[in-house]
Amino acid sequence: MSTTFQLDTATSRANPTPAPMKRLTVPKIMRRKFEGKTEEPLVMLTAYTARQAQLLDPHCDMLLVGDSLGQVIYGLPSTLPVTLDMMIAHGAAVVRGSYHSLVIVDMPFGSYEASPQQAFESASRIMAETGAAAVKLEGGQAMAETIAFLSARGIPVMGHVGLTPQAVNALGGYMARGRNEAEEAKIIADGVAVAEAGAFGVVIEGVVEDIAIALTEKVAIPTIGIGASAQCDGQVLVTEDMLGMFERVPRFVKRYNDIATIISDTAATYAREVRERSFPGDEQIYPARKD
């Protein structure tokens, strides 16, 4: 049964699509890979707010509410301080602002590693309080039991292998992975373990291209590359990086615009007009009542 979403258009600044629209589902995303069809690569971007979701939704297959919001939105030094409550608040906003894309919410550091039971408690909160379709967690073989536990209980899971930002302290930094045979073997084993445990997809981040291609060919679930290979089954980027909101971005990011300069220039124009009293003008002022 389809559901029609309605908003008060008189009070909402940003109106989502008023007509009913069927969301992409986990099985539909998986079919892009395991049915062997020749399909366009899957498109995924991060989203953290309702308005951002509205703008990205028509162009994406999946929206990821990434724990990168810690750095992008909150100015934190890493993803580690991000809390479950933060992820839930932003996840709910993205779900409210989207109608087409599959919404996936990152599980933050410390919310799932202790045990499968802890992971279920955290993931069930995310699913129930946001309306998202799936969660994502980092780790390969070490998380296989947890992925299987969640999947068996109706919680779709996307894995994440290679460069895993939540483990940055153990990895020794954000450098690319797979530079030697031991790292290559671990990344492949991690990806296979995630797939065999029941994940519906896996992000491959910051790895040597040959490894990403090999893993994509080896597993029967969609692979989503970020700093990996164009031969992955899809791609993801942090939206703010892609838009040019920051001066420094990882090597694997292509800056498609320079939104930071646009915002700065616009704010400068506004500030100048305020200081010279040319804003507000007649068009922005309510005239006195004429008796």
Side-chain angles (χ1 to χ4, degrees):
M1 180 178 178
S2 62
T3 302
T4 301
F5 296 86
Q6 299 287 349
L7 287 183
D8 184 348
T9 56
T11 59
S12 176
R13 288 189 176 187
N15 297 313
T17 307
M21 183 179 292
K22 287 187 176 180
R23 279 193 190 273
L24 288 171
T25 63
V26 167
K28 287 180 179 178
I29 294 295
M30 292 184 71
R31 280 200 293 270
R32 297 278 286 268
K33 173 74 175 261
F34 69 71
E35 285 187 352
K37 295 180 179 179
T38 302
E39 297 276 8
E40 293 179 344
L42 294 159
V43 177
M44 181 159 73
L45 284 169
T46 61
Y48 314 116
T49 67
R51 182 54 177 158
Q52 188 179 40
Q54 289 164 359
L55 296 173
L56 300 177
D57 189 47
H59 311 289
C60 294
D61 301 300
M62 294 175 283
L63 292 175
L64 173 65
V65 187
D67 58 0
S68 50
L69 64 82
Q71 294 145 304
V72 172
I73 301 294
Y74 292 95
L76 296 169
S78 72
T79 62
L80 299 185
V82 173
T83 67
L84 191 60
D85 285 341
M86 290 163 66
M87 295 307 304
I88 288 171
H90 288 273
V94 169
V95 170
R96 287 194 296 268
S98 60
Y99 289 84
H100 165 69
S101 302
L102 184 84
V103 178
I104 304 163
V105 179
D106 261 342
M107 297 187 70
F109 178 73
S111 70
Y112 63 93
E113 296 90 339
S115 67
Q117 290 76 16
Q118 182 207 26
F120 179 77
E121 290 175 5
S122 299
S124 61
R125 273 198 65 196
I126 290 173
M127 300 288 284
E129 296 180 37
T130 68
V135 298
K136 181 173 78 64
L137 56 78
E138 295 183 8
Q141 298 169 85
M143 287 293 112
E145 181 185 357
T146 294
I147 292 171
F149 190 88
L150 295 180
S151 299
R153 286 156 180 78
I155 298 178
V157 180
M158 175 168 278
H160 186 148
V161 301
L163 172 58
T164 47
Q166 291 178 7
V168 63
N169 291 322
L171 295 175
Y174 292 100
M175 69 285 292
R177 315 302 297 173
R179 299 289 193 185
N180 57 57
E181 291 183 0
E183 286 186 356
E184 177 178 358
K186 183 178 188 310
I187 292 167
I188 296 293
D190 281 343
V192 170
V194 162
E196 291 180 347
F200 74 91
V202 58
V203 170
I204 307 174
E205 179 171 359
V207 304
V208 176
E209 184 179 29
D210 290 351
I211 299 174
I213 294 172
L215 185 53
T216 297
E217 293 174 348
K218 197 172 186 67
V219 298
I221 60 174
T223 60
I224 308 299
I226 176 168
S229 171
Q231 300 308 308
C232 290
D233 299 306
Q235 300 294 323
V236 63
L237 283 176
V238 172
T239 297
E240 283 75 3
D241 288 344
M242 180 268 291
L243 291 176
M245 286 289 289
F246 299 102
E247 289 73 21
R248 296 181 61 187
V249 295
R251 170 180 172 168
F252 55 74
V253 173
K254 178 177 179 178
R255 297 176 71 188
Y256 286 83
N257 213 318
D258 187 9
I259 300 300
T261 297
I262 294 172
I263 293 173
S264 180
D265 289 350
T266 304
T269 301
Y270 166 73
R272 186 187 71 250
E273 291 186 1
V274 169
R275 291 177 178 127
E276 66 187 19
R277 297 187 187 278
S278 63
F279 175 83
D282 292 342
E283 298 85 355
Q284 293 87 37
I285 293 174
Y286 298 103
R289 187 178 63 185
K290 295 180 180 180
D291 295 327

